Amino acid sequence: MTVNRNTPGIGLRLAHLAEMVATRPSIGWLEVHPENFLTNPHAAELLSELSAYYPISLHTVGISIGSASGINRLHLKRIRTLAERIHPVLMSGHLAWSTHGNEYLNDLLPLPYNRESLELVAGHVLEVQDALGRPYLIENPASYVGFHSSTMTETVFLWEIVERTGCRLLCDVSNVVVSAHNMGFDPCRYVDDFPADAVSEIHLGGYTPEEGLLIDTHAAPIADRSWDLYAYAVRRFGSRPTLIEWDNQIPPLKALLEEAEHAHYAHTC
Ligand SMILES: [Fe+2]
C-alpha cells in the first residue's frame, strides 16, 4: 500500500480505534504512535485489521535520537516487530530527546544545534535506520528555548542530518508557527530554508496560547496561521502526505475527519 500525496490522513488514537474498525470511514491514511500498541495486544490486533484497509504510518515517540546515553535497542527491536506485522508506509520520530539511561521523561526535549549534537544525532539516525531496515523521517520540534551553545540554525542542522544519513524529513507546519512565535523568527523564511526535496510528510496540529507563548498542545483545531503557512509550504515543497494530529481533549472522530477534509481543500485550492 502507498500513501497518495494529495490525500490527508489523521492521527489515530486509542479512543477512536474501535470506531474506526467498526465504521471504516473514508480517509487516505492513518498514523499511530507504535508505543501505544506494544503492551496492548488487543489494540495491536485491531491495528493489524485496519492495516488491510488503510496505509499506516508509525510515528514513534520513544526513540530518543537526541539522547546522549544512546538508543534503547530493546525498544527499537519491539518497534521493528510491530512494523513487520503492520507494514507501515512511513516511520518517523522527533528531533529531540526523551530518555536518559533507563529514565523515560515523557516529553520531547530540545537539543543545541552544534557539531557535537550533529555527530550524536546522525549516528543515532543511522542506527535506527539500520535496525528498521528503511529510511526514518525526522520531525522539526516545537521550540520554547534556544541554547547559547548552538552554532547553526535548525534548518542547517536538518540539512546536515539528511546529508549524512540519507534520512527523510517530516515538516510539522504547526511546530514552525509555534517556534517562530516563541523564538521570534519568520516562519516563511524557515520554510524557504527547509530541505524541500527531503520532505516526505507534513503534520498539522492545534496549539494553545499561554502567557505570551504558543504551546504545542494538539488540543485544538488547526489555527488559521497554520493553514496559511501550510498553503505556503505546499507551494514550496509540492504536495506531500499531510496528517492532522489531535492528542488531547480529543474530539469525536467525525470532527477529525472534517479537519482532514479542510487539509484536502487547502491542498488543492
Ligand atoms: Fe507533529
Side-chain angles (χ1 to χ4, degrees), residues 120-206:
L120 180 92
V121 171
H124 288 163
V125 171
L126 288 171
E127 187 180 337
V128 170
Q129 293 187 139
D130 192 44
L132 299 179
R134 60 192 299 152
Y136 190 56
L137 279 58
I138 306 298
E139 177 176 349
N140 57 297
S143 298
Y144 308 93
V145 294
F147 293 86
H148 286 303
S149 56
S150 286
T151 56
M152 62 187 96
T153 63
E154 188 168 284
T155 48
V156 168
F157 193 88
L158 288 167
W159 274 101
E160 292 276 352
I161 296 291
V162 169
E163 187 74 19
R164 286 165 188 240
T165 68
C167 75
R168 306 293 297 170
L169 298 177
L170 192 176
C171 183
D172 189 316
V173 165
S174 299
N175 285 357
V176 178
V177 172
V178 166
S179 298
H181 175 90
N182 295 339
M183 307 299 288
F185 62 78
D186 176 357
C188 293
R189 176 80 194 275
Y190 182 99
V191 169
D192 290 343
D193 292 343
F194 204 81
D197 290 346
V199 177
S200 290
E201 183 181 343
I202 293 176
H203 272 179
L204 287 164

XYZ file of all heavy atoms in Angstrom, residues 120-206:
669
model
N 26.211 13.156 17.202
C 25.401 12.260 18.038
C 24.103 11.858 17.317
O 23.789 10.669 17.188
C 25.064 12.977 19.352
C 24.231 12.185 20.346
C 25.141 11.425 21.305
C 23.301 13.109 21.140
N 23.380 12.863 16.827
C 22.082 12.586 16.196
C 22.275 11.792 14.896
O 21.554 10.823 14.640
C 21.308 13.904 15.932
C 20.074 13.646 15.072
C 20.901 14.554 17.251
N 23.255 12.175 14.091
C 23.485 11.460 12.825
C 23.793 9.986 13.106
O 23.269 9.097 12.426
C 24.619 12.119 12.042
N 24.619 9.731 14.109
C 24.946 8.345 14.465
C 23.708 7.572 14.885
O 23.501 6.423 14.488
N 22.834 8.229 15.654
C 21.620 7.553 16.115
C 20.634 7.320 14.969
O 19.963 6.290 14.920
C 20.958 8.364 17.231
C 21.725 8.305 18.514
N 21.537 9.197 19.536
C 22.699 7.465 18.941
C 22.347 8.905 20.537
N 23.066 7.860 20.188
N 20.540 8.274 14.051
C 19.631 8.085 12.905
C 20.104 6.905 12.059
O 19.294 6.064 11.642
C 19.537 9.383 12.061
C 18.773 9.128 10.761
C 18.846 10.487 12.857
N 21.408 6.811 11.855
C 21.937 5.665 11.094
C 21.616 4.354 11.812
O 21.239 3.362 11.180
C 23.450 5.818 10.900
C 23.869 6.902 9.893
C 25.383 7.121 9.942
C 23.441 6.528 8.474
N 21.764 4.378 13.132
C 21.479 3.167 13.922
C 19.995 2.772 13.808
O 19.656 1.600 13.638
C 21.852 3.451 15.386
C 21.775 2.246 16.281
C 22.144 2.589 17.729
O 22.854 3.592 17.977
O 21.704 1.833 18.612
N 19.126 3.759 13.885
C 17.678 3.496 13.783
C 17.333 2.964 12.402
O 16.602 1.974 12.258
C 16.869 4.786 14.091
C 15.401 4.609 13.745
C 17.032 5.179 15.553
N 17.872 3.598 11.378
C 17.548 3.160 10.008
C 18.063 1.751 9.756
O 17.412 0.953 9.080
C 18.130 4.149 8.994
C 17.442 5.511 9.090
C 17.846 6.486 8.003
O 17.001 7.207 7.474
N 19.108 6.533 7.647
N 19.234 1.446 10.324
C 19.807 0.119 10.173
C 18.897 -0.916 10.851
O 18.594 -1.965 10.292
C 21.210 0.138 10.804
C 21.971 -1.105 10.433
O 21.913 -1.479 9.255
O 22.584 -1.718 11.329
N 18.436 -0.577 12.054
C 17.585 -1.518 12.811
C 16.217 -1.694 12.153
O 15.651 -2.781 12.174
C 17.418 -1.020 14.243
N 15.676 -0.606 11.583
C 14.340 -0.687 10.983
C 14.388 -1.149 9.529
O 13.368 -1.529 8.964
C 13.634 0.675 11.071
C 13.383 1.228 12.484
C 12.706 2.596 12.404
C 12.539 0.268 13.317
N 15.586 -1.062 8.938
C 15.738 -1.502 7.551
C 15.047 -0.598 6.553
O 14.586 -1.046 5.513
N 14.986 0.711 6.867
C 14.286 1.652 5.988
C 14.649 3.086 6.375
O 15.135 3.320 7.484
C 12.785 1.467 6.141
C 12.338 1.725 7.585
C 10.930 1.288 7.829
N 10.051 2.022 6.963
C 8.875 1.544 6.526
N 8.470 0.366 6.888
N 8.110 2.261 5.744
N 14.388 4.050 5.485
C 14.625 5.451 5.873
C 13.665 5.859 6.998
O 12.521 5.388 7.048
C 14.325 6.244 4.599
C 14.324 5.252 3.490
C 13.921 3.931 4.095
N 14.160 6.713 7.870
C 13.384 7.212 9.005
C 13.134 8.697 8.737
O 14.011 9.381 8.206
C 14.248 7.013 10.246
C 13.622 7.227 11.604
C 12.492 6.531 12.004
C 14.233 8.087 12.519
C 11.971 6.698 13.275
C 13.716 8.251 13.795
C 12.582 7.555 14.164
O 12.071 7.712 15.431
N 11.952 9.181 9.105
C 11.638 10.606 8.912
C 11.871 11.345 10.232
O 11.393 10.894 11.285
C 10.168 10.786 8.537
C 9.725 10.562 7.092
C 10.039 9.181 6.567
C 8.235 10.845 6.962
N 12.560 12.476 10.158
C 12.821 13.278 11.357
C 11.927 14.513 11.335
O 11.889 15.243 10.339
C 14.297 13.745 11.406
C 15.248 12.558 11.289
C 14.570 14.533 12.683
C 15.134 11.553 12.386
N 11.249 14.765 12.451
C 10.312 15.901 12.554
C 10.950 17.078 13.281
O 11.557 16.916 14.348
C 9.054 15.458 13.315
C 8.071 16.597 13.538
C 6.786 16.145 14.211
O 6.563 14.924 14.320
O 6.018 17.027 14.629
N 10.764 18.268 12.712
C 11.204 19.504 13.391
C 10.388 19.727 14.667
O 9.175 19.535 14.666
C 11.037 20.709 12.455
C 9.612 20.858 11.962
O 9.105 19.982 11.278
N 8.943 21.936 12.331
N 11.043 20.125 15.765
C 10.320 20.263 17.034
C 9.584 21.599 17.178
O 9.862 22.553 16.452
C 11.451 20.201 18.067
C 12.627 20.785 17.353
C 12.476 20.379 15.894
N 8.667 21.668 18.133
C 8.116 22.947 18.607
C 9.085 23.451 19.674
O 9.407 22.726 20.613
C 6.737 22.731 19.208
N 9.557 24.690 19.525
C 10.614 25.186 20.421
C 10.122 26.269 21.371
O 9.283 27.103 21.021
C 11.776 25.754 19.600
O 12.334 24.745 18.801
N 10.705 26.245 22.568
C 10.377 27.233 23.604
C 11.635 27.903 24.143
O 11.560 28.943 24.771
C 9.611 26.542 24.750
C 8.439 25.755 24.233
C 8.557 24.403 23.928
C 7.222 26.390 23.965
C 7.490 23.686 23.388
C 6.155 25.680 23.427
C 6.296 24.336 23.139
O 5.248 23.645 22.590
N 12.785 27.235 23.934
C 14.075 27.789 24.391
C 15.123 27.544 23.311
O 14.995 26.641 22.488
C 14.582 27.103 25.690
C 13.673 27.402 26.860
C 14.755 25.606 25.499
N 16.185 28.376 23.336
C 17.349 28.138 22.490
C 18.558 27.924 23.385
O 18.454 27.997 24.618
N 19.703 27.628 22.772
C 20.924 27.361 23.548
C 22.042 28.295 23.093
O 22.253 28.464 21.883
C 21.384 25.917 23.328
C 20.454 24.880 23.898
C 19.374 24.419 23.166
C 20.656 24.373 25.177
C 18.509 23.460 23.687
C 19.798 23.422 25.709
C 18.722 22.963 24.967
N 22.781 28.846 24.060
C 23.954 29.657 23.704
C 24.974 28.818 22.944
O 25.766 29.340 22.174
C 24.596 30.248 24.961
C 23.787 31.380 25.553
N 23.453 32.514 24.837
C 23.246 31.546 26.785
C 22.728 33.323 25.587
N 22.574 32.751 26.781
N 24.944 27.494 23.180
C 25.943 26.618 22.543
C 25.563 26.223 21.111
O 26.333 25.515 20.453
C 26.155 25.361 23.392
O 24.918 24.696 23.592
N 24.405 26.670 20.616
C 24.048 26.375 19.216
C 24.917 27.207 18.283
O 25.115 28.408 18.507
C 22.576 26.706 18.950
O 21.740 25.740 19.555
N 25.408 26.554 17.228
C 26.258 27.258 16.259
C 25.649 27.254 14.861
O 26.255 27.740 13.911
C 27.654 26.600 16.186
O 27.476 25.215 15.863
C 28.409 26.741 17.499
N 24.486 26.634 14.709
C 23.816 26.620 13.396
C 22.303 26.673 13.619
O 21.809 26.384 14.716
C 24.220 25.385 12.587
C 23.858 24.058 13.204
S 24.543 22.656 12.274
C 26.048 22.339 13.195
N 21.597 27.044 12.564
C 20.132 27.094 12.668
C 19.576 25.674 12.606
O 20.252 24.736 12.192
C 19.531 27.901 11.505
O 19.835 27.215 10.288
C 20.072 29.319 11.455
N 18.308 25.555 12.968
C 17.654 24.246 12.920
C 17.605 23.704 11.481
O 17.819 22.503 11.251
C 16.231 24.394 13.467
C 15.499 23.090 13.653
C 14.232 23.325 14.464
O 14.345 23.501 15.684
O 13.144 23.345 13.862
N 17.350 24.589 10.512
C 17.246 24.106 9.132
C 18.606 23.641 8.607
O 18.688 22.639 7.893
C 16.631 25.180 8.208
O 17.283 26.417 8.437
C 15.147 25.330 8.452
N 19.675 24.341 8.981
C 21.014 23.887 8.570
C 21.319 22.545 9.234
O 21.850 21.623 8.603
C 22.095 24.941 8.931
C 23.496 24.357 8.784
C 21.940 26.173 8.059
N 20.955 22.413 10.506
C 21.156 21.146 11.229
C 20.434 20.008 10.496
O 20.997 18.932 10.272
C 20.621 21.302 12.655
C 21.024 20.196 13.597
C 22.214 20.265 14.321
C 20.203 19.089 13.778
C 22.577 19.244 15.199
C 20.558 18.067 14.648
C 21.753 18.148 15.366
N 19.198 20.263 10.080
C 18.427 19.228 9.382
C 19.054 18.886 8.025
O 19.125 17.716 7.638
C 16.971 19.681 9.209
C 16.156 19.673 10.509
C 14.834 20.428 10.326
C 15.873 18.248 10.978
N 19.516 19.920 7.300
C 20.223 19.671 6.033
C 21.389 18.712 6.274
O 21.614 17.775 5.511
C 20.798 20.971 5.463
C 19.867 21.788 4.626
C 19.183 22.896 5.023
C 19.520 21.594 3.244
N 18.429 23.394 3.982
C 18.623 22.621 2.880
C 19.880 20.643 2.289
C 18.083 22.729 1.608
C 19.356 20.755 1.010
C 18.455 21.792 0.678
N 22.163 18.995 7.325
C 23.360 18.185 7.623
C 22.973 16.742 7.955
O 23.642 15.800 7.547
C 24.136 18.796 8.804
C 24.787 20.128 8.483
C 26.153 19.960 7.812
O 26.654 18.825 7.731
O 26.710 20.984 7.364
N 21.898 16.574 8.718
C 21.459 15.222 9.096
C 21.030 14.443 7.847
O 21.382 13.271 7.681
C 20.278 15.286 10.111
C 20.719 15.933 11.427
C 19.683 13.904 10.362
C 21.683 15.107 12.235
N 20.291 15.101 6.964
C 19.859 14.454 5.720
C 21.077 14.047 4.899
O 21.172 12.930 4.381
C 18.938 15.404 4.911
C 18.703 14.871 3.503
C 17.609 15.594 5.634
N 22.005 14.970 4.800
C 23.224 14.741 4.013
C 24.013 13.540 4.543
O 24.486 12.701 3.791
C 24.075 16.021 4.106
C 25.294 16.070 3.226
C 24.944 16.303 1.766
O 23.834 16.762 1.494
O 25.807 15.977 0.923
N 24.132 13.441 5.862
C 24.965 12.397 6.462
C 24.279 11.037 6.550
O 24.958 10.019 6.637
C 25.362 12.811 7.891
C 26.407 13.901 7.914
C 26.476 14.518 9.292
N 27.342 15.685 9.272
C 28.438 15.824 10.005
N 28.789 14.859 10.826
N 29.171 16.910 9.925
N 22.958 11.026 6.589
C 22.268 9.754 6.876
C 21.335 9.285 5.757
O 20.907 8.131 5.772
C 21.405 9.886 8.154
O 20.314 10.787 7.877
C 22.213 10.409 9.322
N 20.982 10.183 4.843
C 20.000 9.809 3.818
C 18.592 9.684 4.388
O 17.709 9.117 3.739
N 18.367 10.215 5.596
C 17.021 10.147 6.185
C 16.082 11.087 5.440
O 16.507 11.880 4.593
C 17.055 10.502 7.677
S 17.259 12.261 8.011
N 14.816 10.995 5.733
C 13.814 11.887 5.169
C 13.335 12.825 6.281
O 13.680 12.636 7.459
C 12.634 11.085 4.612
C 13.040 10.004 3.618
C 13.596 10.592 2.338
N 12.584 11.378 1.653
C 12.846 12.175 0.597
N 14.086 12.300 0.160
N 11.875 12.851 0.001
N 12.508 13.809 5.920
C 12.031 14.771 6.913
C 10.513 14.829 6.963
O 9.831 14.609 5.959
C 12.573 16.161 6.603
C 14.096 16.309 6.648
C 14.493 17.729 6.257
C 14.656 15.957 8.025
N 10.019 15.107 8.156
C 8.598 15.359 8.395
C 8.522 16.821 8.813
O 9.073 17.184 9.870
C 8.120 14.427 9.514
C 6.629 14.277 9.796
C 6.403 13.229 10.868
C 5.932 15.566 10.128
N 7.911 17.653 7.999
C 7.800 19.074 8.360
C 6.479 19.290 9.090
O 5.403 19.192 8.485
C 7.876 19.965 7.125
S 7.829 21.719 7.565
N 6.559 19.562 10.393
C 5.357 19.908 11.152
C 5.162 21.414 11.028
O 5.869 22.207 11.656
C 5.487 19.479 12.616
C 4.153 19.626 13.355
O 3.498 20.672 13.169
O 3.781 18.712 14.108
N 4.210 21.790 10.168
C 3.980 23.202 9.865
C 3.510 23.954 11.108
O 3.897 25.109 11.346
C 2.973 23.314 8.693
C 2.413 24.714 8.574
C 3.642 22.890 7.398
N 2.694 23.320 11.935
C 2.230 23.994 13.157
C 3.387 24.190 14.134
O 3.436 25.198 14.854
C 1.107 23.191 13.816
O 0.026 23.097 12.927
N 4.331 23.239 14.166
C 5.516 23.438 15.005
C 6.320 24.646 14.528
O 6.901 25.376 15.343
C 6.419 22.198 14.982
C 5.869 21.055 15.815
O 4.839 21.206 16.464
N 6.540 19.915 15.793
N 6.351 24.865 13.212
C 7.058 26.043 12.689
C 6.374 27.317 13.185
O 7.038 28.265 13.629
C 7.117 26.025 11.143
C 7.802 27.290 10.624
C 7.845 24.779 10.632
N 5.034 27.332 13.149
C 4.293 28.517 13.630
C 4.583 28.753 15.117
O 4.856 29.875 15.547
C 2.770 28.337 13.399
C 1.981 29.455 14.067
C 2.464 28.298 11.903
N 4.538 27.674 15.893
C 4.780 27.774 17.340
C 6.210 28.266 17.610
O 6.424 29.220 18.369
C 4.553 26.390 18.019
C 5.114 26.356 19.423
C 3.053 26.063 18.025
N 7.187 27.634 16.986
C 8.590 28.011 17.222
C 8.856 29.443 16.763
O 9.553 30.202 17.441
C 9.530 27.065 16.471
O 9.393 25.748 16.938
N 8.312 29.815 15.601
C 8.550 31.164 15.064
C 8.003 32.213 16.027
O 8.652 33.237 16.283
C 7.894 31.296 13.695
N 6.822 31.951 16.576
C 6.229 32.886 17.534
C 7.083 32.964 18.807
O 7.420 34.051 19.281
C 4.810 32.434 17.886
C 4.163 33.262 18.955
N 3.418 34.384 18.671
C 4.180 33.147 20.311
C 3.007 34.928 19.802
N 3.446 34.197 20.808
N 7.427 31.788 19.352
C 8.143 31.752 20.638
C 9.587 32.241 20.523
O 10.128 32.840 21.458
C 8.147 30.327 21.202
C 6.751 29.846 21.552
O 5.834 30.654 21.741
N 6.577 28.541 21.640
N 10.224 31.944 19.390
C 11.650 32.242 19.249
C 11.900 33.520 18.446
O 13.036 33.966 18.330
C 12.378 31.066 18.561
C 12.142 29.707 19.206
S 12.700 29.637 20.925
C 14.469 29.650 20.676
N 10.809 34.071 17.841
C 10.938 35.361 17.149
C 11.615 35.267 15.797
O 12.488 36.080 15.489
N 11.245 34.263 14.985
C 11.764 34.262 13.610
C 10.602 34.234 12.619
O 9.437 34.046 13.003
C 12.770 33.115 13.382
C 12.231 31.717 13.543
C 11.462 31.114 12.552
C 12.518 30.980 14.699
C 10.989 29.817 12.689
C 12.044 29.674 14.854
C 11.274 29.102 13.841
N 10.938 34.405 11.343
C 9.926 34.471 10.286
C 9.594 33.048 9.817
O 10.467 32.352 9.283
C 10.498 35.312 9.134
C 9.558 35.369 7.932
O 8.496 34.716 7.957
O 9.921 36.058 6.967
N 8.341 32.585 9.990
C 8.010 31.205 9.625
C 8.162 30.917 8.130
O 8.540 29.810 7.749
C 6.549 31.051 10.079
C 6.028 32.434 10.238
C 7.187 33.301 10.565
N 7.882 31.916 7.279
C 8.028 31.690 5.833
C 9.500 31.504 5.479
O 9.859 30.655 4.650
C 7.437 32.860 5.043
S 5.652 32.981 5.215
N 10.352 32.268 6.126
C 11.796 32.135 5.873
C 12.267 30.739 6.285
O 13.100 30.126 5.606
C 12.525 33.236 6.681
C 14.006 33.184 6.624
C 14.544 33.809 5.336
N 15.945 33.470 5.148
C 16.944 34.151 5.688
N 16.699 35.218 6.416
N 18.202 33.773 5.480
N 11.729 30.245 7.413
C 12.084 28.886 7.871
C 11.687 27.865 6.797
O 12.473 26.984 6.434
C 11.369 28.586 9.189
C 11.688 27.222 9.778
C 12.627 27.077 10.802
C 11.035 26.070 9.314
C 12.914 25.822 11.338
C 11.326 24.824 9.844
C 12.258 24.703 10.861
O 12.545 23.464 11.388
N 10.474 27.994 6.268
C 10.008 27.068 5.218
C 10.889 27.203 3.968
O 11.253 26.203 3.335
C 8.515 27.323 4.899
C 8.080 26.578 3.636
C 7.651 26.897 6.087
N 11.270 28.441 3.636
C 12.168 28.660 2.482
C 13.484 27.903 2.667
O 14.072 27.401 1.710
C 12.504 30.149 2.329
C 11.308 30.965 1.875
O 10.323 30.378 1.380
O 11.351 32.203 2.035
N 13.978 27.873 3.921
C 15.294 27.282 4.204
C 15.223 25.776 4.456
O 16.251 25.122 4.601
C 15.915 27.948 5.450
C 16.274 29.402 5.196
O 16.357 29.787 4.016
O 16.466 30.149 6.182
N 14.011 25.243 4.598
C 13.841 23.823 4.938
C 14.237 22.961 3.723
O 13.949 23.332 2.581
C 12.372 23.565 5.294
C 12.136 22.372 6.169
C 12.311 22.453 7.548
C 11.732 21.165 5.624
C 12.088 21.348 8.366
C 11.512 20.052 6.425
C 11.691 20.148 7.800
N 14.895 21.809 3.949
C 15.313 20.964 2.819
C 14.116 20.328 2.094
O 13.697 19.209 2.394
C 16.181 19.883 3.491
C 16.491 20.392 4.859
C 15.361 21.291 5.248
N 13.579 21.056 1.111
C 12.306 20.684 0.470
C 12.344 19.288 -0.150
O 11.371 18.527 -0.035
C 11.950 21.723 -0.588
N 13.443 18.946 -0.795
C 13.491 17.658 -1.510
C 13.427 16.465 -0.558
O 13.139 15.343 -0.979
C 14.776 17.555 -2.348
C 14.734 18.505 -3.531
O 13.639 19.024 -3.840
O 15.802 18.726 -4.130
N 13.738 16.699 0.720
C 13.758 15.590 1.686
C 12.418 15.416 2.406
O 12.259 14.499 3.205
C 14.867 15.820 2.711
N 11.448 16.304 2.127
C 10.175 16.242 2.874
C 9.304 15.108 2.343
O 8.925 15.094 1.175
C 9.407 17.584 2.773
C 8.066 17.480 3.480
C 10.231 18.720 3.365
N 8.977 14.163 3.219
C 8.109 13.039 2.831
C 6.754 13.098 3.511
O 5.886 12.265 3.233
C 8.773 11.701 3.187
O 9.867 11.459 2.354
N 6.575 14.033 4.449
C 5.303 14.105 5.177
C 5.176 15.498 5.807
O 6.194 16.129 6.129
C 5.271 13.031 6.272
C 3.952 12.972 7.047
C 3.946 11.901 8.153
O 4.810 10.996 8.137
O 3.090 12.006 9.040
N 3.929 15.937 5.983
C 3.638 17.198 6.687
C 2.667 16.904 7.824
O 1.748 16.092 7.665
C 3.028 18.239 5.716
C 4.065 18.659 4.666
C 2.506 19.461 6.474
C 3.530 19.622 3.609
N 2.899 17.543 8.974
C 1.954 17.488 10.100
C 1.273 18.835 10.289
O 1.898 19.885 10.084
C 2.699 17.201 11.420
C 2.872 15.752 11.735
N 3.525 15.323 12.867
C 2.452 14.632 11.092
C 3.516 13.995 12.893
N 2.888 13.551 11.833
N 0.033 18.771 10.741
C -0.691 19.956 11.211
C -1.351 19.591 12.543
O -2.013 18.550 12.633
C -1.794 20.334 10.216
C -1.352 20.968 8.892
C -2.497 20.904 7.885
C -0.937 22.420 9.132
N -1.148 20.428 13.557
C -1.758 20.169 14.863
C -2.184 21.477 15.509
O -1.697 22.545 15.128
N -3.073 21.398 16.479
C -3.541 22.609 17.153
C -2.585 23.027 18.267
O -1.931 22.191 18.875
